[in-house]
Amino acid sequence: MNTSRGNEWTWIRLDVDEKEKCREYIDPVHWRRCRDWFDGIGIADRNDLRMETEVSGQECLFGSFVYRQDLHKKDDFTILYFYLTRQTFVTVNLNPALIQKTSMDQILRLVKSAEDAIDAFFILQGELMNEFLYGIDEFESKLRELIWKFYNDNGTHILEQIHNHRHELLVLKGLIHSVKENQFAVEEAFLIESGDRAGHERTARRVKRGSTLIAGYEEEIENLYHSEEVVSSYRGNEITKALTIFTTIFTPMTALGAIWGMNFKHMPELDWKYGYAASLILIFALTILIYLFLQQKGWTGDLLKKKKRKSFYK
């Protein structure tokens, strides 16, 4: 257990197996109203927020939220449990090792400037949000690389990478939404106005920046996904068209070959002196006529043209 004290407020940090110790730091009035939070520590596996606002000046907010989620394993995540009043801020299961961009010493120095426990809560939320913003920056680099991969090598594996990037973006979006929900919940429970506290204002701006970036990257991902769908659909249509045209062009050869390949006893053509030459001429003539007809109608398109390099469609 670790504690940090400010001007008439206290931040208590506990591990899950130390949750019993938090009871001695909470006012009995509040304790009677937050047994659900206490009993849920170590059990809850999702975001959960509750508040009590019946008595003015004795408001409290408690619950849990996911502040780390593995990108590939659904069950690999970390939950932070918290209990907040104006004078007391209790956190359970806060692992400083998971906050890589800001050390715990830096967070504690920032927290010392907090006006009360509410401001200390916002400062911690701001540092978690800062961690997510670094993740967004890393995502941006990967997205830019993917955009150029799509341009230079528009293979089927690009679609899989787009899907993976979309999934990563959704995970980041979920984490940011947790901080945003906490911000709104604190404002609702304690009637905090924007700009009242530096920690609150800074966190709100980071949330806004993160949400704006996420929205922009979502649009880019959707555009990239749509472009890949269009190119794949076009190529599929071209392949179908090519097979149809080739089938049509070689229909005379197939049909006449099937006819003269029969084994009936009486087939006059087999006795013709120039039957073989005539059959070849007929086959080639019909094939050319069909091709010219398709070309005149414009149904061959670009199929018989040379493929251009670095072209999505040709």
Side-chain angles (χ1 to χ4, degrees), residues 2 18 29 52 60 65 85 97 117 128 166 223 314:
N2 296 285
E18 298 176 317
V29 174
E52 293 289 344
C60 66
F65 66 94
T85 68
L128 292 177
R166 176 190 279 178
N223 289 337
K314 297 181 179 180

Side-chain angles (χ1 to χ4, degrees), residues 48-64:
D48 183 38
L49 285 177
R50 302 185 187 184
M51 64 181 71
E52 293 289 344
T53 59
E54 296 177 2
V55 181
S56 178
Q58 295 184 358
E59 301 91 345
C60 66
L61 176 70
F62 52 92
S64 60

Side-chain angles (χ1 to χ4, degrees), residues 63-78:
S64 60
F65 66 94
V66 176
Y67 71 100
R68 187 204 64 85
Q69 172 67 61
D70 187 84
L71 294 176
H72 307 290
K73 298 179 181 178
K74 174 185 174 183
D75 297 326
D76 187 0
F77 59 87
T78 308

Side-chain angles (χ1 to χ4, degrees), residues 93-282:
N93 203 34
L94 176 63
N95 187 352
L98 299 179
I99 308 176
Q100 301 177 357
K101 304 303 180 181
T102 307
S103 68
M104 197 63 199
D105 290 338
Q106 290 175 304
I107 294 176
L108 292 176
R109 286 196 296 270
L110 292 170
V111 166
K112 285 183 179 180
S113 63
E115 299 178 15
D116 54 17
I118 297 173
D119 200 26
F121 177 79
F122 274 123
I123 290 174
L124 176 61
Q125 291 282 293
E127 294 311 306
L128 292 177
M129 187 65 220
N130 195 45
E131 192 79 8
F132 303 154
L133 288 172
Y134 277 106
I136 292 176
D137 290 340
E138 294 175 0
F139 173 83
E140 181 185 11
S141 298
K142 290 186 284 187
L143 180 59
R144 295 289 168 260
E145 183 178 353
L146 179 62
I147 289 173
W148 285 104
K149 279 184 179 180
F150 174 74
Y151 176 76
N152 293 317
D153 180 20
N154 185 30
T156 55
H157 63 284
I158 297 296
L159 193 60
E160 182 71 22
Q161 293 186 38
I162 292 174
H163 175 75
N164 291 335
H165 281 59
R166 176 190 279 178
H167 169 73
E168 182 177 348
L169 192 64
L170 288 174
V171 172
L172 287 170
K173 185 177 182 179
L175 294 173
I176 291 175
H177 276 181
S178 297
V179 177
K180 193 172 186 177
E181 183 183 10
N182 292 338
Q183 173 196 335
F184 291 157
V186 173
E187 292 172 355
E188 177 186 348
F190 300 99
L191 299 179
I192 303 299
E193 297 292 338
S194 178
D196 285 353
R197 292 166 170 79
H200 177 207
E201 183 65 22
R202 184 169 291 108
T203 299
R205 295 191 180 193
R206 286 178 180 175
V207 168
K208 184 177 180 180
R209 176 158 63 100
S211 298
T212 302
L213 290 173
I214 287 291
Y217 295 146
E218 274 187 322
E219 185 177 354
E220 289 189 39
I221 283 288
E222 290 303 318
N223 289 337
L224 198 59
Y225 186 79
H226 178 68
S227 298
E228 177 63 23
E229 278 190 323
V230 170
V231 172
S232 298
S233 177
Y234 176 84
R235 288 178 172 176
N237 291 337
E238 288 296 285
I239 291 173
T240 302
K241 185 193 294 185
L243 293 176
T244 302
I245 290 175
F246 289 144
T247 301
T248 303
I249 290 176
F250 291 106
T251 295
M253 181 181 297
T254 305
L256 295 176
I259 292 173
W260 289 324
M262 296 178 181
N263 293 319
F264 291 109
K265 184 176 181 180
H266 300 287
M267 293 184 67
E269 298 92 337
L270 298 179
D271 296 328
W272 293 355
K273 182 176 180 180
Y274 300 105
Y276 178 72
S279 65
L280 290 180
I281 293 172
L282 180 62

